[in-house]
Amino acid sequence: MPLLEVADLTYRYPDGTHALSGVSFAVERGEKVALLGPTGAGKSTLLLHLNGLLLPASGCVTIDGIAVSGGTVREVRQRVGLVFQDPDDQLFLPSLLEDVAFGPLNEGCDPEGAELLARGVLQSLGLGGNEMRAAHHLSGGEKRLAALATVLVSHPLVLVLDEPTSNLDARGKRRLVRLLRERGETLLVATHDLAVARALCERAVIMADGALVHDGQLEHIVTDQEFLDHHGLWAEL
Amino acid sequence: MSFRHLDQFAQVSSPITALAPALRVLGTVVVALGAATLRLGAWPQLATLAGLVLVLAAVARIPLRTLLLRMLGPLVFVLFASVALLFLVPGEVVARVWWIDLTDNGLLRFGSALGRAFTALAAAVILVSTTTFPEIVQALRELRLPHAVTTALGLAYRFLYVIVDELERLQRAARSRNAGAGAAKRRRLLVSVVAAVLRRALVRSERTHRAMLARGFHGEIISLHRSRVDARSIMLLALLGLVVGAVTLSSYLAR
């Protein structure tokens, strides 16, 4: 059974905009998949369905055998770690320690245990010593790592990242990619950056205008410039 | 000095930073209350309290210049707010400036207001210079302020920086296109920028709420609160309270 399965997912925004049209794909346990597509393709909208922040107009999303619905969001959110595009959206408490402990505390962990978990994760990501710092005192790269820490602390089965390397310099990208490679979670990464996608993932799911247009091995498409141009992607300048 | 670095002395090791944040907050309140309740005209006692606070600043390793600079803005505000006391409070006229009569009671109240403000402000500056805002929020929780209030404070503090950053970015972008030349145009620009920032803040609040929901938020922010109050801190606070209390009381007994 796939760990993550999206079946014929359709979604329309309240203003009537068709955001997703019949999207279907599955991700097996341990797989690392890149979600590619131009701006407005529906990538972020799709990601919001994976932990029940949006619910489908039709179709189904299943995480670890659990169909995502209003009644199962709590269980689903314990299994899916979603890292948002802007780390400032994810770091909303006065200190990093509180931000990272936020998830475990909501899952019923006691304060001492949550603090221990949070300190451990921050240490493992090279952010040890910054526990009492506020997010606005961090660099862009540190904020990205901190946002990742807020999710990793809950040991999700699936890690879902929305543009994890945007606004990062080359060193920051390398550091983040290295960290993600070392981890064993199933990974779904929405990105414009094909270099990052190639570094992390073997498989690519490509979206355009709310529909899934390609699902296959990443290496097969990165050298096909015509394919990339057609789908609004850019391998190299 | 940027408001982002107000707590630059929080990382400096000193007897003040060794105290539990809750007791630093209480100590500030004790000093401010002591100054506020001094008898009018108790200049020796006022000077004693002000001197005590300056000593505490030195103990906290805050340079005098830094302390005074940080107090300057609020003190100027107090100055303007209390200058009317000089001529509005009835009393014996002691001086005349142009057509304005300055009275003895007016001078007394003006001097007291400045002196008390100086002392209380100095204590407040020591607090915010040696205590990070997260510590202050935690201290307020320990002091049993309502959870909704401390949560709102924490969130507001965090996003104040985000909003100020956005405001600065928008203003910079506008200035680089030569917008805002002239006072009237600058005012209009400011209104547009503020409106844009408010719109963005609203959108950001929705995104942040989603991020909170994604991590299991179900209506209440649970804190990591653990009290750092120890016996030594309590004793030091009690000592401060005794000293301030004695000074204040003496202003009434020594008439």
Side-chain angles (χ1 to χ4, degrees):
Chain A
M1 178 181 70
L3 181 58
L4 185 161
E5 190 167 8
V6 177
D8 202 28
L9 180 62
T10 300
Y11 182 77
R12 189 188 305 177
Y13 278 110
D15 65 358
T17 308
H18 280 275
L20 297 173
S21 305
V23 176
S24 297
F25 70 97
V27 179
E28 300 292 336
R29 211 167 287 264
E31 248 195 313
K32 291 176 169 43
V33 179
L35 181 62
L36 306 174
T39 306
K43 302 188 298 296
S44 295
T45 306
L46 172 62
L47 296 188
L48 293 176
H49 280 83
L50 301 184
N51 70 349
L53 286 173
L54 293 178
L55 294 174
S58 66
C60 184
V61 177
T62 310
I63 305 291
D64 197 23
I66 304 168
V68 178
S69 69
T72 61
V73 286
R74 199 180 168 99
E75 296 168 88
V76 167
R77 286 168 189 170
Q78 289 171 351
R79 288 159 170 78
V80 176
L82 177 56
V83 182
F84 291 75
Q85 185 168 349
D86 187 345
D88 279 326
D89 294 339
Q90 201 138 357
L91 304 170
F92 40 77
L93 292 175
S95 71
L96 273 196
L97 188 67
E98 289 174 274
D99 267 316
V100 178
F102 182 80
L105 286 171
N106 287 327
E107 288 162 15
C109 199
D110 60 275
E112 287 79 15
E115 184 174 332
L116 206 62
L117 283 170
R119 287 184 184 276
V121 166
L122 285 169
Q123 190 72 34
S124 72
L125 294 182
L127 292 174
N130 292 294
E131 289 83 357
M132 294 315 294
R133 291 180 78 191
H136 46 262
H137 288 157
L138 302 178
S139 68
E142 287 173 331
K143 277 191 204 177
R144 287 272 169 202
L145 289 175
L148 186 61
T150 64
V151 158
L152 291 179
V153 71
S154 298
H155 302 292
L157 296 179
V158 183
L159 204 51
V160 178
L161 310 177
D162 193 354
E163 301 289 351
T165 59
S166 66
N167 294 324
L168 284 184
D169 60 12
R171 183 182 296 178
K173 283 184 190 179
R174 270 198 298 274
R175 187 179 177 193
L176 186 63
V177 166
R178 201 165 35 237
L179 272 163
L180 290 172
R181 264 188 181 158
E182 288 167 4
R183 303 197 64 88
E185 290 94 354
T186 304
L187 192 64
L188 180 64
V189 183
T191 182
H192 289 117
D193 193 329
L194 277 178
V196 168
R198 288 174 77 183
L200 284 173
C201 311
E202 302 98 16
R203 179 179 151 213
V205 167
I206 302 176
M207 291 186 65
D209 296 321
L212 197 150
V213 297
H214 180 84
D215 183 349
Q217 291 302 300
L218 189 54
E219 283 307 313
H220 293 164
I221 63 167
V222 292
T223 51
D224 188 342
Q225 194 58 52
E226 195 181 325
F227 179 92
L228 294 173
D229 284 346
H230 182 68
H231 292 294
L233 299 172
W234 200 265
E236 58 183 62
L237 289 169
Chain B
M1 183 211 62
S2 163
F3 77 100
R4 292 173 175 83
H5 301 287
L6 278 176
D7 59 2
Q8 70 183 101
F9 296 95
Q11 306 309 320
V12 173
S13 176
S14 75
I16 302 295
T17 52
L19 285 176
L23 296 179
R24 280 180 245 163
V25 170
L26 277 177
T28 305
V29 171
V30 162
V31 169
L33 271 177
T37 53
L38 276 176
R39 186 180 59 80
L40 212 56
W43 304 116
Q45 286 83 358
L46 188 55
T48 304
L49 278 187
L52 172 65
V53 176
L54 291 179
V55 166
L56 289 175
V59 168
R61 305 203 183 161
I62 302 171
L64 182 64
R65 185 170 181 270
T66 304
L67 180 76
L68 294 175
L69 275 174
R70 290 184 178 192
M71 290 167 58
L72 190 60
L75 262 183
V76 167
F77 174 79
V78 171
L79 181 72
F80 280 109
S82 54
V83 73
L85 292 170
L86 287 168
F87 49 86
L88 287 180
V89 179
E92 193 180 323
V93 175
V94 295
R96 171 170 280 206
V97 176
W98 298 318
W99 67 96
I100 301 170
D101 290 332
L102 308 184
T103 65
D104 55 352
N105 287 334
L107 274 171
L108 183 68
R109 288 185 187 278
F110 176 72
S112 287
L114 274 187
R116 289 171 183 183
F118 180 93
T119 307
L121 274 172
V125 166
I126 293 172
L127 174 67
V128 299
S129 300
T130 58
T131 316
T132 64
F133 194 84
E135 288 178 321
I136 292 179
V137 172
Q138 182 176 328
L140 294 176
R141 281 191 195 121
E142 288 180 36
L143 295 171
R144 300 289 187 261
L145 237 72
H147 193 61
V149 172
T150 54
T151 302
L153 274 174
L155 288 171
Y157 167 73
R158 167 70 186 104
F159 285 102
L160 175 66
Y161 289 86
V162 175
I163 287 171
V164 168
D165 278 346
E166 292 203 348
L167 189 66
E168 286 174 350
R169 275 199 300 272
L170 285 172
Q171 285 185 312
R172 209 161 35 232
R175 277 200 306 273
S176 69
R177 282 154 34 209
N178 289 322
K185 284 187 179 176
R186 271 201 298 276
R187 274 195 299 275
R188 277 198 295 275
L189 172 66
L190 184 62
V191 168
S192 303
V193 165
V194 167
V197 166
L198 285 175
R199 260 197 318 274
R200 290 186 184 196
L202 191 61
V203 172
R204 182 179 288 284
S205 71
E206 289 176 19
R207 291 202 305 260
T208 302
H209 185 232
R210 279 181 177 167
M212 293 169 82
L213 289 174
R215 276 143 64 195
F217 178 66
H218 39 73
E220 186 189 345
I221 295 184
I222 306 165
S223 81
L224 278 180
H225 159 77
R226 271 196 319 222
S227 178
R228 274 181 50 194
V229 174
D230 57 7
R232 178 174 168 271
S233 299
I234 293 174
M235 273 174 47
L236 286 169
L237 177 67
L239 182 63
L240 177 69
L242 275 171
V243 169
V244 171
V247 169
T248 306
L249 197 59
S250 75
S251 73
Y252 292 92
L253 298 175
R255 281 211 233 197

